[in-house]
């Protein structure tokens, strides 16, 4: 069974969502079929996405409204790049004397919100399920509708209930459907959620990462330090500062780490045309193993052929990813998803 992937984030930061967007096609290929996020568990995916799109349009209108007023006084800066404190002061002086905090919050989060919409669209294109796994809508919207400066007490009050709810839903989605689950989650929840997996002896069933850019929400606050301190060691060795150039190599790293945790359900001992083709092509013994759902990986013991590096290079040259794994104390080169049409066609061109 595939490990649960949890991407911890600062909700306004574009980097985590950009990584998810880049990762989704490859995750989908290896069996991840459900994308989860902090939204009410009792609403349908269609309802959640519809509300999200409406909110995105509303927030975009606020930004356009603010930009129009600021241009009149000669200010044409990229508003979302500004420090929150500077942005609120600018909006208070030139746009609204009452709604400036709410407007600033929406403007700061808008770039990340637009990328999340792209993630939803990509997941839909890949026929992945979109699931809200947070507390019910009445409690959820009551909690987040409070002004930003007064919101944290309510969030803290609901924290234990939310952690229990998110954990239960993640586990049910994973066990009931036997498919991979991805969850994007605020980093504030990192310690509670990881501890919940540990409490149930499931810490080895998750891969989690706190991803962030070098940007800060407010220049007067080191929010990364606050987040990592709040996590009390949970995010040590799981925190990654990334730029746009790092997204692709980091995504490849995640795929490798998934492979290291992948558990095969059984070996296919009957004839398998894909592993047989590889065996004939490279004059060595490739074995076929069934992974999550219906995915088949071809494995070759790295100690058997003398040209293992050449095999890896030729397979990679055909556009097929490979990775090393350990199985029953032996090391193997794995070629995943050989039973999918795309990979089957590629390996036959080697």
């Amino acid at each position: 069974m595939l490990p649960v992937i949890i991407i911890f984030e600062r909700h306004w930061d574009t980097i985590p969502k950009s990584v998810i967007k880049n990762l989704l096609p490859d995750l989908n290929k290896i069996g991840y079929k459900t994308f989860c996020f902090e939204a009410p568990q009792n609403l349908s995916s269609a309802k959640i996405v519809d509300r999200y799109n409406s909110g995105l349009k509303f927030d975009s209108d606020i930004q356009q409204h603010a930009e129009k007023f600021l241009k009149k006084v000669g200010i044409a800066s990229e508003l979302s790049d500004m420090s929150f404190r500077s942005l609120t002061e600018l909006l208070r002086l030139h746009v609204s004397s009452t709604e400036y905090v709410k407007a600033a919050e929406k403007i700061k989060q808008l770039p990340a919100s637009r990328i999340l919409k792209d993630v939803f669209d990509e997941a839909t294109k890949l026929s992945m399920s979109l699931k809200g796994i947070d507390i019910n809508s009445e409690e959820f919207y009551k909690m987040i509708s409070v002004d930003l400066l007064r919101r944290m007490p309510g969030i803290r009050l609901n924290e234990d209930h939310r952690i229990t709810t998110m954990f239960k839903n993640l586990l049910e989605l994973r066990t009931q459907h036997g498919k991979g689950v991805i969850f994007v989650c605020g980093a504030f929840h990192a310690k509670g959620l990881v501890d919940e997996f540990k409490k149930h002896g499931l810490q080895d069933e998750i891969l989690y990462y706190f991803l962030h850019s070098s940007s800060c929400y407010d220049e007067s606050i080191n929010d990364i330090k606050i987040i990592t301190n709040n996590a009390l060691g949970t995010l040590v060795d799981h925190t990654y500062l990334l730029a746009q150039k790092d997204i692709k190599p980091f995504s490849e790293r995640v795929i490798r780490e998934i492979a290291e945790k992948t558990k095969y359900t059984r070996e296919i001992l009957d004839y398998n045309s894909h592993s047989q083709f590889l065996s004939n092509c490279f004059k060595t013994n490739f074995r076929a193993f069934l992974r999550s759902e219906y995915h088949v990986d071809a494995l070759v013991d790295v100690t058997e052929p003398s040209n293992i590096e050449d095999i890896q290079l030729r397979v990679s040259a055909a556009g097929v990813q490979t990775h090393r794994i350990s199985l029953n104390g032996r090391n193997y080169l794995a070629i995943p998803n050989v039973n999918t049409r795309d990979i089957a066609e590629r390996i036959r061109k080697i």
Side-chain angles (χ1 to χ4, degrees):
M1 191 172 287
L2 292 163
V4 175
I5 304 298
I6 306 175
I7 303 294
F8 291 115
E9 64 163 9
R10 301 175 296 177
H11 293 306
W12 58 271
D13 196 343
T14 59
I15 280 292
K17 293 179 177 67
S18 295
V19 170
I20 293 167
K21 181 182 175 182
N22 185 75
L23 263 172
L24 273 189
D26 285 336
L27 289 176
N28 184 62
K29 285 179 183 178
I30 61 177
Y32 284 85
K33 304 298 180 182
T34 304
F35 177 70
C36 303
F37 43 97
E38 290 178 60
Q41 62 180 351
N42 63 320
L43 296 184
S44 69
S45 300
K47 185 72 172 177
I48 292 170
V49 173
D50 183 59
R51 287 191 179 190
Y52 187 85
N53 289 336
S54 296
L56 184 59
K57 183 181 184 306
F58 181 76
D59 295 352
S60 297
D61 290 344
I62 287 176
Q63 183 188 45
Q64 290 174 10
H65 177 76
E67 288 173 342
K68 182 176 70 173
F69 276 87
L70 291 171
K71 282 179 181 177
K72 290 181 179 179
V73 293
I75 300 170
S77 303
E78 185 63 53
L79 299 183
S80 60
D81 289 342
M82 297 180 68
S83 171
F84 181 74
R85 184 170 301 188
S86 300
L87 180 58
T88 54
E89 182 64 12
L90 198 63
L91 297 179
R92 184 186 69 80
L93 290 172
H94 302 292
V95 180
S96 171
S97 60
T98 57
E99 299 293 320
Y100 57 92
V101 173
K102 184 182 294 184
E105 181 187 9
K106 292 181 179 299
I107 290 170
K108 282 290 291 180
Q109 192 154 320
L110 198 50
S113 297
R114 288 173 174 147
I115 297 173
L116 185 56
K117 182 184 185 305
D118 292 341
V119 171
F120 289 161
D121 292 343
E122 181 69 16
T124 301
K125 187 173 73 174
L126 295 168
S127 300
M128 297 177 71
S129 298
L130 298 171
K131 298 287 186 182
I133 62 168
D134 213 318
I135 55 179
N136 286 342
S137 54
E138 184 177 352
E139 302 167 281
F140 182 84
Y141 289 119
K142 180 181 178 181
M143 174 184 66
I144 67 169
S145 62
V146 179
D147 185 272
L148 175 65
L149 302 180
R150 299 181 292 111
R151 192 178 302 154
M152 281 310 295
I155 290 177
R156 290 192 180 98
L157 187 65
N158 281 283
E159 183 64 7
D160 290 345
H161 179 31
R162 294 180 72 193
I163 290 296
T164 301
T165 302
M166 290 188 285
F167 172 77
K168 174 182 69 70
N169 285 324
L170 283 172
L171 214 59
E172 286 181 358
L173 286 169
R174 184 175 185 249
T175 55
Q176 288 179 4
H177 302 292
K179 301 175 183 177
V181 177
I182 314 131
F183 180 35
V184 57
C185 181
F188 177 80
H189 307 295
K191 185 180 187 307
L193 193 56
V194 172
D195 282 354
E196 193 71 14
F197 275 90
K198 289 179 179 177
K199 186 170 78 176
H200 291 81
L202 297 171
Q203 62 270 22
D204 291 334
E205 303 299 316
I206 58 173
L207 283 170
Y208 65 94
Y209 312 88
F210 172 36
L211 311 182
H212 67 92
S213 67
S214 59
S215 301
C216 60
Y217 196 73
D218 190 292
E219 60 193 11
S220 66
I221 300 171
N222 185 341
D223 56 349
I224 298 300
K225 186 176 180 179
I226 292 171
I227 289 168
T228 52
N229 286 347
N230 178 72
L232 297 175
T234 299
L235 295 175
V236 173
D237 299 326
H238 294 268
T239 299
Y240 303 90
L241 167 62
L242 303 177
Q244 283 294 321
K245 65 180 177 59
D246 303 315
I247 290 176
K248 189 175 186 298
F250 184 82
S251 299
E252 292 170 351
R253 171 186 178 151
V254 173
I255 297 299
R256 288 195 303 271
E257 293 185 354
I258 291 169
E260 291 169 3
K261 279 185 173 283
T262 297
K263 298 175 181 176
Y264 292 105
T265 55
R266 65 180 175 87
E267 183 175 4
I268 300 172
L269 298 175
D270 297 331
Y271 177 81
N272 180 274
S273 62
H274 311 296
S275 60
Q276 189 60 51
F277 174 84
L278 290 165
S279 296
N280 293 339
C281 179
F282 293 110
K283 304 297 188 292
T284 191
N285 181 38
F286 275 85
R287 300 161 66 188
F289 286 83
L290 187 65
R291 191 166 33 79
S292 172
E293 204 177 335
Y294 58 84
H295 300 276
V296 175
D297 294 357
L299 274 59
V300 59
D301 190 322
V302 298
T303 63
E304 287 188 5
S306 58
N307 61 335
I308 191 67
E309 300 298 335
D310 179 59
I311 292 174
Q312 189 167 5
L313 286 172
R314 289 177 62 188
V315 172
S316 297
V320 177
Q321 289 186 344
T322 64
H323 53 261
R324 301 291 181 102
I325 65 161
S326 178
L327 181 65
N328 298 327
R330 299 187 70 84
N331 295 318
Y332 291 86
L333 175 70
I335 303 176
N337 307 316
V338 292
N339 61 325
T340 62
R341 180 176 179 178
D342 177 51
I343 301 301
E345 288 178 352
R346 287 174 184 270
I347 63 176
R348 278 161 175 75
K349 295 177 181 178
I350 296 174

